[in-house]
Structure formats: structure tokens, C-alpha cells
Amino acid sequence: MARRNLVIAGSVLAVVVLYAVLVPWLAGVDDRVTDFAQARQAPSADHLFGTDSAGRDLFVRIASGIRTSLVVALLCALLATVIGVVVGTAAGFWGGWPDRIIMRSTDAVNALPHLLLGIVIVAMFRGSLLAIVLSIALTHWTQVARIIRSEILSLRQRPYIDAAVLAGASRRQVAVRHLVPATAPQAMIAVVLLLPHAVWHESTLSFLGFGLPPHEPSLGTLLEEARSSLLLGGWWTLVFPAAVLVIVTLAVAFAGQALRKVITPPQPSELRL
Amino acid sequence: MSLRVENLTVRLPLPNGSVVHAASDVSLDVPRGTITALVGESGCGKSILASAVMDQLPAGARRSGSITVTTPQGALDVFAGEPFRGLHAALVPQSAATHLTPVRTARSQLDETITTLGSPRTSDELAVRVGLDPSALDCYPHELSGGMAQRVAVAGALAGDPSVIVADEPTASLDRALTDRVLGLLRECADDGAAVLLITHDLASLVRTGVADRLAVMYASRLMETGPAAEVFDDPWHDYTRDLLGALPSRGLHPLPGSPPQLTDLPDDCVYFLRRPETRQSGGPTALVQVGDRSYRTLREVA
Amino acid sequence: MTTVQAGREERPAGTGQDAGQAGTVPDDAPRPSEGQAPSVQDLRRGRHRDIWAMVGRRLLFIVPVTAAVSAGLFAAAKYSPFDPLVGYLGTRYMTTSDADKAIISEQLGFDRPWYSTYWGWVQDLFGGDLGLSRSFNQPVAQVIGERLPWTLLLAGTALALAVVVALVLGIAAGVRSGGILDRGVTALCVVVQGLPPFVMSLAAIAVFALALGWLPAAGLTDGGADPTVGGVLRHLVLPVVVLAISQVPWLLLAVRESVVTSKGEDFVAGAVSRGIPTPTITRRHIVPTSLAPFVNIVGVRLPELVVGAVLVEEVFSWPGVAGAIVTSARDLDMALLAFLTIGTTVVVMVGSLLADVVVALMDPRVSTDG
């Protein structure tokens, strides 16, 4: 069941990625070129998704949007996972006081509204890709840290760790050579599960006007542009980017959930006799 | 008779395709005013009988046979779907505290039982009857200690004045003094007229207190021996009963070799011979042979 | 964070020795009138003391977090490439000479180190002076005073609506889990979870305001008219519904999960064996047990409610403080932004604490170590 979901979600994602990669390349139309004579055209044979208020073809522009959104989201998810793995491993490995302090800090970060911190950071460092990536990564590493920490805690009990220690490995060697690589599956899953959140956040920040410059639009930026078009009756400027955003988010989320079910071993059931 | 179990067989299919043989052709009679103790090692299938009597078998369970409760209004088939729980048959569960809703006080749940069953009693009255200070009823379930929780459970079982009381391992986590108290309480319930089915693995306490009137011994989903408790303790007819008694500290502490079998995909015949290869009562088709008010399982004679 | 130990981790009733288990009334205790063993009243009082202790600890925890966030804010502002003079001078920025800019900077204190600005702000704050909002051209206190009630109206109504919908549908779905309602509702929740609130807001405006024309598209009132109860309510409908829907999925799935887990627990089997009918079991056993985890989830989701309010207010031009956050961030209006950010943080943490207190009161098993 989970495998089937994974295949479906994966196929949808593959289609989307193909769209994002192939269309700009094949269409040969530069989506930066503005042509106000063609502004606000409804979908037609020439412009499958219509044009926006500056006359740019939306079919191609959305493709760039997908690319930007996914790339930025991937960077955020990777960075958040790296931070989470480091912090989680430290907490699980050292235990005791360091663990408690770290867990308290994650509670504090969790308690704060993520988007607010994100808004504040990107407002101050506007237009910088690093600011966007940091603002999302710095507020999302906590889930990863928690998962990695419990993995480490349960792995520490395994016999092969004892064996390594008895064989003379130092604590650091045990951590680096045995524990961290064993968390790789969970880390991978964490990256995939974080992607929808990252897309969500990045598109929201872009929508609010704090995102990347307009020549590198993400889906959020496109939706922000749609906002003004709407009042003038251009429904296609909203529907197509929104639909693509939703499809991408859902497909990634489904793929992540299915991946997790496939990788995590099933639990035995209990019967009392 | 107040409780009659006839040829009860329960099979529980597992997700991976195998089948758990929880009970195989179990027949038991519990007369009113007596305590019948169903004993066996852990995992032999005795607890499934408690679920069966209360018609609370797990979803997907396959059963055959019948269970009848004799009420003042006549005989009642528990599998028929008529409401009877609490009124005609009641359960004293194993871990009493977890069988109560955690966010409500014991009193509120006891009152609810009383109202639902239309009982004339009050919760204070029931508390006193089971030897509990009524103020203890104002505790939440997790605040009750083991012995108190067990007594609350007995109070709940008595609320509807049922003809049958099934006690599923009621003394499992109690120390000796509390075990004796709870068993004594069950004795009082029987003396007041109920038919008590006491399911337990604690043979030592049964021997020590002598509360049981009749005894039934179970192994790997089958009955091995039944009879008046005193007679069976003195002179067990089945090798397994002898083994169980021999394992008691008071009788020399000779533990049984090996461990009880898993009930998954059991063969059709009794498997006791796998534990005790020298027995002559197992190792082929067997049947329960009735002699007077005692019965024991032995190899069926080839006709 | 309080942890709910849903019957799996509860203290086993009577393992071995019964007397003197912590937190239970001992088995052989003398009657309370003999005045030696802890009575039920003592247990209750002890629990209330534990809850107060938790409140105290958490309030103490809020202080360093708030300080860290606010200090970080000021430090980051100092290092950002944004020049505050831009906001102050506006269009004159290009035409002002560098010498004049330096003088103005010094006058306004823009060249002070960040911790000096920060300390000054803190002192002003405790003295009651919240500063002047550049983007609204009003004292910060006035901005807050005028806008806060509208946010409370929006967020409060939306939260109430979301809670009701989540409880009703979640319990219905959980009780008949696997059924059509359950599968439909769960699928819907998964889809909605993927939608950012601003997409929903835009869609709602596009459909209900622009296409159908049933409801107004933005603001509090039509044009520059004075707010009337009817008018405000008409304008309130879309933002509230969108905000509520954006919060429902997590709440609903949590309730459903709680109900489904409860159904399989021993205490439900116990109630069945006592003869309690199924509707009563749902109403008076499953629902009360599921409520405490639900309140916990509401507390955990408070930050997301705030975020949702920010987006909804922004898209619908609702004149609340949440939308003001975006405005002040765009203009880097430090006075207002700082106060709003810190204020939101404190409110969220206090709200979460309140939720945890309610959970501890509702579920006597929950630990108060959080």
C-alpha cells in the first residue's frame, strides 16, 4: 500500500520536474522578456496558461517558478537536516546536562512562530538567497534533531556499539563511524518530509514580498503578482500557479510519508491469552 | 447450573496468516454458590475464556460452542446479542486500574454502572461490602493502589447482582496478604449465591487458601483435568496436574521442564507429550474421560 | 511541554509491596480521621501545588527566551544592509548630502552600537514608552490599541470555529474509523494541510468575492464607511472561515487519532464489560479522555494560528496587529516590529502554558514536569 503511494507520488513529482526542466529549454521563450501588448491574455493555443500583467507567458514562467521553489526548498531542507543531525547526535550521544539544555533550546525554538522569525530575518536581509534559506532552516531543524536524538538513544543500546567500544574504539570514533551513518535513513526521510514545509514557507515569504528578486520568481512570487491581476479578472494567473504549488506540495508530502512507511520496520501486534 | 460452557473452541487469525488456538473444545460447568478455579501456566488460553463469557472476543475471532448463563428469568445465551453484561454476568478484570477511565473518579464510574444497570445499591454500600473506605472512591484510577483497584473492580462487578462472576487473574500483581483478601472477597460473593469462575495461574494460593470448590486444569487450549479441588490436590489424575502441583514450593519445588507451547497453529491433538514424553495420557487422539464428578484427559482407545 | 501518558506508562497498580507508593493512597492506610496517611484531599492539594510549580518554572523560562529573541532582533537589525535613514528620509534620501545624513544619524541615534539601542529600548519599555511607529505615523501604543481588538476578534472566532469543527468531525470520524466519513474527512485534511493560508485566502476572494460577489473582498468596511455590526460581520466571514479551515486539519487529525487509540484501550473494554451502552461510552469515557490531548494540540498549534492570522490579515487587509507585523517588517519600522515580535512570542508562550495547565487539570495522570 505504501509502495503504491510512493510510486504514484513519485510519478507525479517526476512529471512536475520534467515540466520544470524541459519546458523552458524546449519553448525557447525567455520568460523574462516582457511584451505588454500581450499582457493579460487568457489561456489559448499560443499561451497554454495565459500571460501575466507584463505579457510573459505563464506556462514557461511557472516552470521557472517550480524550479526555483524546489531548489530553494531542497537547500533549506538539507541545511535544516544537517543542523538537526549535528544537534540531535550531540544530544543523544552526550546525554545528561548537555542533552537537557539542547532539548530546552529546541522547545524554545518550537514555541516561537516560525514564519514570524522568518519574516523578520528576510525583512532585514532582503533579496538574499542565504537569508531565505537560513530563515527557514533555522526554524525547522528541531523536528530533525528530535528524531535523530531518539534514533541515537536507541542505537546506543545495540550490542554492536558495545562490541565497538570493547574493541577499543574511542567515543568519537564510535559516534562518527557507527552512530551517525546509522541515522542516514532517518536523515534522508527527514529531508523529504521537510520539503513540503520548506516549499510552504518559501512561497509564503515570497508572496509577502520578501522573496527572491522578480527575475528569479518562485511560485510564491507568481502568486503575489496574481493578487493584483485578480481584481482585473485574470483568473489564470491565480489558478495555474496555485494548482501547481498544491500538487507539488502534496506529491512531496505523500512521497515522504510513503518513504517513511517503507523504510521503517512494522511493529508486532500483541494478543493477551 | 449458573454458568455452562459447552464445547467452546476459539480461533484467532493473525495478520500473517497463522491461527492462534486460544481454546479447543472446552466444556465447564460452574454451579451457583461455588468457586471454580481454571488454572494453567501463562499463555495456555485461560484468559480467552473470560473474554468469551463476556462476549468480548477480539474482532475477527472464530468461535464455536455455546456459553449459557442461568438467570432468574431463564437460560441466556451470551452470544445471542441480548444485553447481559453487568446484569447477569460480570467481569473482574486483570489490571483493574487500567480498565477504568483515567480521567474520571472511581466513584463516578461506579455510580454510572449502578444507574445503567438499574441497581438499587449505592457506591458507598458496595465499597463497604468489598472492604473499601468509601472515601477511596474519590480517587482517580491511577491513584488507587493495586489491592484497592481490585476491590473497586469487584464492587463494580457486584453492582448488578449478577449470577455469574468471572475473575480474570485478580491477584496477579498483589502480595500474599492482599491475595488472600481478594480471594476471601470472592468466596463471600460465592457464598452470597453467585457462580464464580476464577481464572488464575497462582496454584499456590489456591492450595493455601482452599477457596476453590472445583478445579479445572488447562494446557495449550485444552482441559486436562477437572474435579472437586480438594480431591484433585490430594490425588491428581492427570500427569500435568501432578507436574503443576509438584512445582509448588510446598510440595518440593520440582519445576516443569521446558516452557508452555505457543498457541499458534497447534496440531489437532493434545501436545502435552512434547513436554513430558513419558506420559501415557497424550501423544495421539485424546478425550476427556468422565468418572463421577471428576474428569481427566487420556489417549482415546482405538475402538 | 506536559506529556500525556495515555494509559501505557501509568504507574502499575500494586506491583509487589503496596504500602507507600508515591501518589497513591496506601492500601492499609488508617482512616483519614486518624490523620497519618495521605488522603484524597492531600493528593489533590499536592497536585495543585505541582501545577503552580510548573507555571512558575515556565514563566521563568519565558524571560530568557524573550530577552534572547529581542536582543537577537536588534543585533540582526544592526547588521542588516538596510539603512534606517531610507525609511526616515523617504524620497529625500537621494538628495540629502552625506554630511547631513551623518548629522541626522547622530541625532536619531542610528550610529549607536546595537546593544546601546537595545538597552535604551528596554528602558523605555519598562518606563511605559513604546516608541513611535514610523510606518503608521502613530505612537506604537496607539497602533496596538487600535488594532489589537480586531485581531482578537478574528483569531478568537476562527479558533472557536476550528475547535468546534475539529471536535465534531474528529470524534465522528474516529468513532466510526475506516468508514466513509472517516476516509473522506482524513483525505480532505491531508489536502488542506498542504495549502498555505494565503493560497486559500486568494482562492476564497477569487471565488466568493470576485466571481460570485457574495461577500466583500477586503477590509473591515466598504469604502470609508463607519464600521457597523452588520458590516463588520459581513467582512468577517471570509477571513474567519479561511483562518479556521487552515487550522482544522491538525486539530481534527489529532482528535481522531486520540479517539481511535482510546477505542482499543483497556478502559473501553472495561466499560463494555460493566454493561455501559456504546453511546455513553463515547460521550462519557472516550471524549473526556481525548479532550486533554486535544487541548495540548491546541496549545502546540498556537504559533501556527498566529502565522495564519498574519497571512489572512495581510491578504484581506484586515486592520489587526498581525497584518501590522508585515507592514512594519516591510518598512523595517523597528519600534513597532520589535514590540510586535516580542509581544507575539510572549503571547504564544503564555498561551501554550495556559493550555498545559488546562491539560494538567483535566487529566490527572499528566506529569507536571514540563
Side-chain angles (χ1 to χ4, degrees), chain B residues 35-82:
Chain B
I35 295 186
T36 298
L38 179 61
V39 297
E41 292 163 289
S42 299
C44 71
K46 6 184 245 305
S47 280
I48 210 71
L49 226 67
S51 310
V53 171
M54 300 304 295
D55 192 19
Q56 282 184 269
L57 288 170
R62 296 198 298 260
R63 60 158 171 83
S64 64
S66 71
I67 299 184
T68 318
V69 170
T70 311
T71 73
Q73 290 81 29
L76 179 116
D77 173 9
V78 305
F79 298 131
E82 300 287 317

Side-chain angles (χ1 to χ4, degrees), chain C residues 288-362:
Chain C
T289 312
S290 307
L291 274 185
F294 178 69
V295 173
N296 191 24
I297 294 285
V298 171
V300 168
R301 297 292 307 177
L302 273 180
E304 300 301 320
L305 178 68
V306 168
V307 165
V310 168
L311 293 174
V312 166
E313 285 192 11
E314 163 66 18
V315 177
F316 284 98
S317 307
W318 185 261
V321 288
I325 293 180
V326 177
T327 319
S328 61
R330 280 209 190 105
D331 301 337
L332 260 197
D333 174 4
M334 277 310 293
L336 184 58
L337 184 62
F339 187 78
L340 283 179
T341 314
I342 280 73
T344 319
T345 309
V346 169
V347 162
V348 163
M349 287 201 279
V350 167
S352 164
L353 172 61
L354 272 176
D356 285 345
V357 167
V358 170
V359 169
L361 285 173
M362 285 173 86

Side-chain angles (χ1 to χ4, degrees), chain A residues 185-210:
Chain A
Q186 291 291 345
M188 240 177 40
I189 298 179
V191 170
V192 179
L193 285 179
L194 274 179
L195 278 179
H197 291 273
V199 168
W200 193 104
H201 266 254
E202 184 276 320
S203 58
T204 307
L205 287 177
S206 302
F207 175 79
L208 291 174
F210 298 121

Side-chain angles (χ1 to χ4, degrees), chain A residues 93-160:
Chain A
F93 192 65
W94 286 325
W97 266 110
D99 181 18
R100 258 181 293 196
I101 296 180
I102 292 179
M103 281 300 111
R104 279 279 170 222
S105 316
T106 56
D107 282 344
V109 173
N110 264 340
L112 308 172
H114 301 170
L115 194 74
L116 283 193
L117 289 189
I119 290 178
V120 167
I121 295 178
V122 295
M124 292 187 190
F125 300 90
R126 208 160 307 188
S128 138
L129 177 63
L130 180 63
I132 297 178
V133 172
L134 268 181
S135 73
I136 298 176
L138 284 179
T139 46
H140 283 81
W141 59 266
T142 52
Q143 302 147 275
V144 185
R146 225 169 256 276
I147 296 172
I148 299 291
R149 175 181 170 272
S150 35
E151 267 293 293
I152 299 272
L153 284 178
S154 75
L155 284 173
R156 273 172 70 180
Q157 325 271 11
R158 298 271 174 84
Y160 75 89

Side-chain angles (χ1 to χ4, degrees), chain A residues 6 60 71 87-88 98-99 105 127 177 196 227 257:
Chain A
L6 190 54
V60 178
V71 166
V87 173
D99 181 18
S105 316
R177 268 211 238 123
R227 196 175 164 192
Q257 304 276 20

Side-chain angles (χ1 to χ4, degrees), chain C residues 2-334:
Chain C
T2 52
T3 47
V4 178
Q5 299 152 310
R8 276 175 279 274
E9 227 190 278
E10 40 92 37
R11 291 186 214 89
T15 37
Q17 289 308 93
D18 256 10
Q21 252 182 312
T24 65
V25 182
D27 208 46
D28 299 333
R31 300 287 138 81
S33 55
E34 293 177 18
Q36 289 202 322
S39 65
V40 178
Q41 291 87 336
D42 289 338
L43 284 179
R44 299 279 172 275
R45 270 197 291 268
R47 176 116 179 123
H48 288 165
R49 265 201 310 271
D50 285 341
I51 293 180
W52 279 115
M54 175 178 81
V55 170
R57 271 198 310 270
R58 290 276 288 274
L59 286 177
L60 281 180
F61 183 59
I62 290 180
V63 172
V65 173
T66 313
V69 169
S70 52
L73 193 69
F74 276 85
K78 191 64 184 176
Y79 290 109
S80 86
F82 187 78
D83 188 348
L85 277 181
V86 171
Y88 183 73
L89 291 172
T91 46
R92 292 172 294 158
Y93 187 76
M94 291 283 114
T95 53
T96 319
S97 72
D98 283 343
D100 287 337
K101 281 187 196 165
I103 296 173
I104 300 175
S105 277
E106 204 193 307
Q107 274 183 336
L108 294 175
F110 284 156
D111 57 345
R112 288 154 60 199
W114 70 267
Y115 42 84
S116 166
T117 321
Y118 177 51
W119 186 235
W121 179 78
V122 172
Q123 285 176 316
D124 287 340
L125 193 67
F126 280 103
D129 174 14
L130 300 177
L132 187 65
S133 161
R134 220 174 48 230
S135 46
F136 287 98
N137 267 321
Q138 287 173 325
V140 166
Q142 190 178 355
V143 174
I144 309 283
E146 279 176 11
R147 301 179 80 95
L148 186 61
W150 298 118
T151 300
L152 290 178
L153 177 63
L154 174 66
T157 318
L159 183 61
L161 180 62
V163 162
V164 166
V165 170
L167 278 177
V168 168
L169 286 181
I171 291 176
V175 164
R176 274 179 277 277
S177 62
I180 298 182
L181 177 69
D182 181 29
R183 279 195 300 231
V185 162
T186 310
L188 219 61
C189 281
V190 170
V191 171
V192 173
Q193 263 181 333
L195 291 173
F198 72 88
V199 171
M200 267 193 286
S201 312
L202 285 179
I205 292 179
V207 171
F208 291 102
L210 298 176
L212 294 173
W214 288 351
L215 290 164
L220 193 61
T221 57
D222 297 321
D226 285 326
T228 64
V229 173
V232 169
L233 281 178
R234 268 185 76 231
H235 286 258
L236 189 63
V237 172
L238 270 186
V240 161
V241 169
V242 169
L243 184 54
I245 292 181
S246 73
Q247 302 302 310
V248 160
W250 285 272
L251 298 179
L252 194 153
L253 290 178
V255 172
R256 180 198 169 278
E257 178 72 26
S258 196
V259 168
V260 169
T261 314
S262 297
K263 274 195 324 189
E265 297 269 338
D266 279 346
F267 69 86
V268 168
V272 171
S273 73
R274 287 195 297 276
I276 316 287
T278 315
T280 313
I281 295 185
T282 308
R283 255 185 320 118
R284 302 205 57 214
H285 292 259
I286 294 183
V287 169
T289 312
S290 307
L291 274 185
F294 178 69
V295 173
N296 191 24
I297 294 285
V298 171
V300 168
R301 297 292 307 177
L302 273 180
E304 300 301 320
L305 178 68
V306 168
V307 165
V310 168
L311 293 174
V312 166
E313 285 192 11
E314 163 66 18
V315 177
F316 284 98
S317 307
W318 185 261
V321 288
I325 293 180
V326 177
T327 319
S328 61
R330 280 209 190 105
D331 301 337
L332 260 197
D333 174 4
M334 277 310 293

